[in-house]
Amino acid sequence: MIGQGSNDQHAQLQELYDNMAPEGLTPLWEVLHALVQDVPRSPAVVHKWAYANVRNYLMRAGDIISAEQAERRVLILENPGMPGQSAIVPSLYAGMQLILPGEIAPCHRHAQCALRFVMEGEGAYTTVDGERAVMAPFDLVLTPGMQWHDHANPTDRPMIWLDGLDIPTVRLFDASFAERLPEKVHPETAAPGDTLHRYGGNMRPMRGSVADRRPAQQPLFHYPYKLWRENLGNLAAGSEIDPHLGHALEFINPADGGSIMPTISAHVRLIPKGFETSPRRSSDGTIFVVVEGEGTALVDGQEHRLAERDVLAVPSWNELRFKADTELVLFGFSDKASQEKLHLYRELRA
Ligand code: GTQ
């Protein structure tokens, strides 16, 4: 907004704006400071979704609509600061997906990258390019862009997971492509766990050999809780704690050692009982899931109580601290992967 100016100038400017608006022209000086901010001021707000509450609505949806009819039976975790945008932070989408016993969610693929973080249930699976990732609580399963995926629950209990996708990022770039497979379910192409054995143990099939069957850029799609929890526990037992993060491990893509997918980074943290992390800001708005324990997130001084399976969205550049009442284990995902590629990522540790 321009400051002082005579009434006459204001009138002349308003006339100019009105005349040129139909031609797709508008004055920078009215919006410059909103466009080029000194620090990030996210339209997204800090918000916590208590798991029991989300689950309740999700089960109600389960009584009314099938997974197959819905294609994906998901409640979007929409940031209250960005109504109608299907975003949890400006660049990312999150939703809670329910697959009831005996249901399938039909096979499709799209440009958007997806992660699933399992909240409850065991034995249902996502099939990625025809290979089942059989899920257990707190497993991380990926469906990287344009890989075929369908979901099924052959167990007798509901299966619920958190979906994290880069839907708003892809929307920003106008680069969405999607297709359905004519069959509901992708034909099985490999035994469950095959990819984990080939690409998940810091090894890979020799390049060009018949065993090297997965896409070179994104071969791995399953990071079981059993493995990451053991690694995190061992790290916590044997290393100095980071004052700002607690004990933290990032999930990586074994193809290049980088983020799990081109647009999404993910990590886990362990904060010991009684520990309080030091204040930290980062430019990647982050979605946290409480895996174990209880505590408090202090976001710009405001307290948010945390219990198991709660989801907390912390937008860019909010000052964040965690206080652990019991040993606290967190999963987090963010757009750090995109920001680093664009040379935008920053953090500030106090
Ligand atoms: O499971 O493929 O929450 O395509 C949103 C879009 C889940 C999925 C979502 C999707 C999916």
Side-chain angles (χ1 to χ4, degrees), residues 46-50 304-307 310-313:
V46 181
H47 192 79
K48 185 192 82 175
W49 287 263
H304 301 266
R305 289 290 306 157
L306 300 175
D310 287 352
V311 179
L312 179 74

Side-chain angles (χ1 to χ4, degrees), residues 72 74 93 95 97 108 110 116 149 151 163 165 167:
R72 297 294 185 262
V74 177
Y93 156 105
Q97 178 154 185
H108 70 191
H110 38 67
R116 334 265 164 212
H149 53 287
H151 314 297
D163 287 318
L165 286 90
I167 287 171

Side-chain angles (χ1 to χ4, degrees), residues 128 131-133 140-142 144 147 195 214 219-223:
V128 180
E131 180 189 336
R132 294 175 184 181
L140 173 65
V141 174
L142 311 182
Q147 297 191 11
T195 286
R214 291 281 303 148
L220 192 60
F221 54 81
H222 195 181
Y223 300 74

Side-chain angles (χ1 to χ4, degrees), residues 10-31:
H10 274 292
Q12 286 181 44
L13 284 173
Q14 197 52 57
E15 196 185 354
L16 172 65
Y17 302 166
D18 292 346
N19 290 164
M20 68 187 180
E23 321 247 7
L25 292 167
T26 148
L28 172 64
W29 58 87
E30 294 285 351
V31 294

Side-chain angles (χ1 to χ4, degrees), residues 193-231:
D194 182 81
T195 286
L196 204 49
H197 299 143
R198 292 185 196 210
Y199 300 89
N202 285 321
M203 301 184 86
R204 70 177 181 213
M206 295 281 282
R207 272 278 166 355
S209 70
V210 291
D212 189 19
R213 59 173 197 81
R214 291 281 303 148
Q217 306 296 318
Q218 288 270 209
L220 192 60
F221 54 81
H222 195 181
Y223 300 74
Y225 168 73
K226 201 159 66 95
L227 296 180
W228 70 253
R229 185 64 182 85
E230 190 182 344
N231 291 335

Side-chain angles (χ1 to χ4, degrees), residues 274-288:
F275 195 83
E276 286 187 36
T277 62
S278 299
R280 175 177 178 271
R281 295 173 195 271
S282 63
S283 59
D284 60 330
T286 305
I287 298 90
F288 293 98

Side-chain angles (χ1 to χ4, degrees), residues 77-93:
L77 275 52
E78 185 171 79
N79 194 287
M82 306 176 65
Q85 297 187 45
S86 305
I88 188 162
V89 293
S91 61
L92 296 174
Y93 156 105

